[in-house]
Amino acid sequence: MKKSYYLFNPGRLSRKDNTLQFTPVDEQGKEGPCRYIPVETVSDLYVFGNLDANSAMYNFLGKNGISAHFFDYYEHYTGSFFAKDYLLAGKMQVEQTRHYTLRNKRMVLAQKFVEGAAFNMLKNLRYYNNREKDLAQIISQIEGYATQISATSEVAELMGIEGNIRQTYYAAFDTIVSGFTMVNRSKRPPLNEVNVLISFGNMMCYSVCMDMIYHTQLNPTISFLHEPGTRRYSLALDLAEIFKPVLVDRTIFRVLNKKEIQPNDFMTDINGCVLKESGKKVFVKAFEERLKETIKHRTLSKSVSYKHLVKLECYKLSKHILNIEEYKPFKIWW
Amino acid sequence: MYVVVVYDIGELRVARMLKLCRKYLNWIQNSVFEGEITEVKLKEMLSKAREIMDLDYDSIIIFKSREHKWLDKQIVGVARSQIDNFL
């Protein structure tokens, strides 16, 4: 199985002897001992530090089908380098667009995304409710909202419900996480520690979804729940809805409750809060472990990793679009 | 599959072997590589290695382990290279 590589240290990545070479550079500009990365084992690169690279390296990445995702100082996602599309399918493109333009077809998919997301969020809450955290009220409130999903006829209306669900869900974070308070969801910039982790995690989840979509024939720009905009892979946002509770929120609860991330892993900036490199590393490591974790798949009757689940979701979506099998959103079944 | 690959190759050809192995596995010591690899990728690597090798003189030894966790690795002295995926 190919691995993701995470680049935190500033340095230079270059093509050398048909593989990748990474030379770390410290603050004084002094080069450290270089390390070779076996190119055959790389699935993608997540670049958090400053990276020096030239086009020969990118050409090489492109040839090997490796994508690189970039993040800025505030760990916002800034963009990706993708190898040339290698799975082109006109039929899929046409059908996907048709599912977007026909309102009833679009609503079916959009509702399923919200339904899956709500189900997975409830699953998280119930888990903690059984562990002496009183969340009964929040659970019943979300269940109430979830029943309204199927009655919606407009995407805007559905997004409203989705917003309500998420707001109620985030209100439970203060009960679940000990030692930190979240108060309200704040973005751009996130104002406190829990919000920083949510933003950071969501962005990681978004990149994973995007990468998986890239390896299927789906067009990442045509989405159903989110409005397809410009310069955005909005289909990844749709998919991320379902997986955020499973991948991101569980990881956040873990790192905070097990005290793997401490208050001194954060830095309070002039306006907002950022995760220090030490914190980033811990979180990414936990997230990576989460992605690698395997579960026994019921219908496939074999072990699959969480990361592969995202890809399976893309396959299910393709099948729905091509009218082979109706799409059922991923719901945690254990 | 997790493997440790050790080779003993004539001086003339050893650099090419080093470069080949670097593409598939992590370098840990002179002539020693280790890492996660699939059955097919290992086959691919070995077939390329055969082209480099003088089969009457050189040799490669592969230690296979089903998973990383079944491998008990102990280092005495200096660890030459990190092999994790956090750089």
Side-chain angles (χ1 to χ4, degrees):
Chain A
M1 186 96 165
K2 293 193 171 187
K3 285 190 281 192
S4 304
Y5 281 78
Y6 301 90
L7 284 72
F8 288 103
N9 283 315
R12 179 167 186 82
L13 192 66
S14 47
R15 173 184 184 167
K16 181 86 196 289
D17 302 330
N18 266 332
T19 190
L20 295 167
Q21 182 192 41
F22 183 74
T23 320
V25 178
D26 65 7
E27 285 103 46
Q28 282 83 44
K30 259 180 51 193
E31 288 187 359
C34 71
R35 227 188 96 177
Y36 287 89
I37 305 172
V39 68
E40 296 284 345
T41 66
V42 185
S43 73
D44 43 11
L45 302 167
Y46 288 80
V47 185
F48 295 101
N50 286 324
L51 183 73
D52 252 2
N54 59 15
S55 59
M57 201 275 292
Y58 285 107
N59 285 334
F60 184 60
L61 288 186
K63 285 225 173 76
N64 285 283
I66 299 167
S67 38
H69 308 293
F70 298 93
F71 305 93
D72 69 6
Y73 173 76
Y74 293 97
E75 64 262 348
H76 291 132
Y77 173 75
T78 43
S80 298
F81 164 79
F82 275 113
K84 134 179 149 298
D85 271 337
Y86 66 108
L87 292 168
L88 297 167
K91 191 179 173 194
M92 178 68 89
Q93 182 91 303
V94 172
E95 287 294 326
Q96 196 179 341
T97 315
R98 216 163 63 85
H99 272 78
Y100 166 72
T101 39
L102 297 177
R103 204 180 66 182
N104 53 347
K105 281 194 187 296
R106 180 181 172 190
M107 280 309 290
V108 170
L109 280 173
Q111 282 174 354
K112 295 243 164 97
F113 288 130
V114 181
E115 189 191 309
F119 185 92
N120 293 337
M121 280 187 245
L122 281 170
K123 200 83 185 182
N124 274 357
L125 296 178
R126 290 209 187 94
Y127 174 87
Y128 282 98
N129 199 33
N130 291 336
R131 275 166 180 70
E132 289 152 13
K133 310 261 186 189
D134 184 26
L135 301 166
Q137 203 205 330
I138 292 174
I139 292 176
S140 63
Q141 213 175 333
I142 294 183
E143 278 169 342
Y145 287 129
T147 53
Q148 298 168 21
I149 295 172
S150 53
T152 51
S153 56
E154 291 291 337
V155 173
E157 195 186 346
L158 184 62
M159 278 300 250
I161 293 173
E162 193 263 343
N164 288 340
I165 293 177
R166 214 157 265 280
Q167 201 180 4
T168 325
Y169 174 65
Y170 282 136
F173 274 43
D174 278 346
T175 323
I176 296 171
V177 172
S178 48
F180 288 94
T181 44
M182 171 180 168
V183 194
N184 266 320
R185 178 84 179 103
S186 47
K187 290 185 249 187
R188 285 176 237 157
L191 294 174
N192 57 37
E193 291 87 353
V194 182
N195 274 301
V196 170
L197 288 179
I198 295 175
S199 293
F200 187 63
N202 285 352
M203 169 220 82
M204 290 295 293
C205 181
Y206 175 64
S207 329
V208 169
C209 291
M210 209 162 56
D211 209 60
M212 291 295 121
I213 293 172
Y214 172 73
H215 290 292
T216 64
Q217 301 183 321
L218 291 167
N219 185 324
T221 55
I222 302 171
S223 56
F224 306 98
L225 176 61
H226 294 81
E227 207 56 54
T230 46
R231 284 174 289 154
R232 229 156 63 122
Y233 290 133
S234 35
L235 187 60
L237 296 176
D238 283 4
L239 270 188
E241 287 296 325
I242 298 176
F243 288 98
K244 277 190 299 200
V246 189
L247 298 174
V248 181
D249 302 342
R250 286 284 180 105
T251 311
I252 294 175
F253 300 152
R254 174 193 142 177
V255 293
L256 291 183
N257 283 342
K258 283 192 176 172
K259 304 218 172 357
E260 289 172 17
I261 286 188
Q262 307 268 348
N264 60 12
D265 285 318
F266 296 94
M267 196 163 53
T268 321
D269 214 53
I270 318 137
N271 49 1
C273 184
V274 276
L275 200 52
K276 280 193 211 160
E277 197 174 299
S278 56
K280 259 188 240 176
K281 272 189 183 160
V282 175
F283 187 86
V284 170
K285 202 156 195 162
F287 189 76
E288 169 91 3
E289 277 167 26
R290 186 89 188 141
L291 285 177
K292 273 198 195 143
E293 216 174 288
T294 55
I295 47 128
K296 188 93 178 159
H297 197 282
R298 279 190 306 191
T299 42
L300 295 177
S301 70
K302 64 172 184 179
S303 291
V304 291
S305 66
Y306 280 83
K307 191 172 185 178
H308 195 67
L309 279 176
V310 181
K311 194 163 187 185
L312 291 176
E313 203 66 12
C314 297
Y315 290 153
K316 282 196 282 180
L317 199 58
S318 329
K319 278 191 169 175
H320 178 95
I321 288 169
L322 296 175
N323 289 321
I324 300 170
E325 200 180 303
E326 204 198 343
Y327 174 67
K328 283 201 205 83
F330 164 73
K331 292 176 176 174
I332 313 178
W333 60 75
W334 54 92
Chain B
M1 177 168 62
Y2 202 82
V3 297
V4 178
V5 170
V6 202
Y7 57 71
D8 195 343
I9 308 272
E11 217 178 306
L12 276 175
R13 301 172 291 274
V14 70
R16 283 164 70 201
M17 186 56 84
L18 173 82
K19 286 174 189 173
L20 174 72
C21 291
R22 266 184 195 151
K23 278 162 69 176
Y24 294 86
L25 297 162
N26 296 293
W27 178 83
I28 46 169
Q29 208 168 62
N30 291 345
S31 322
V32 185
F33 282 81
E34 75 169 67
E36 183 74 39
I37 193 167
T38 61
E39 201 87 45
V40 180
K41 283 286 170 199
L42 182 65
K43 254 191 182 159
E44 183 183 300
M45 186 180 108
L46 289 179
S47 93
K48 284 182 186 165
R50 276 198 197 90
E51 288 171 22
I52 299 172
M53 288 164 73
D54 174 352
L55 289 168
D56 299 324
Y57 183 82
D58 304 331
S59 69
I60 297 180
I61 304 171
I62 301 144
F63 299 92
K64 293 184 188 176
S65 164
R66 231 175 66 209
E67 255 192 85
H68 184 37
K69 62 179 175 197
W70 305 122
L71 185 83
D72 189 10
K73 181 173 151 189
Q74 189 187 355
I75 300 169
V76 181
V78 198
R80 299 281 290 274
S81 177
Q82 289 278 322
I83 58 167
D84 59 357
N85 53 344
F86 295 89
L87 294 166

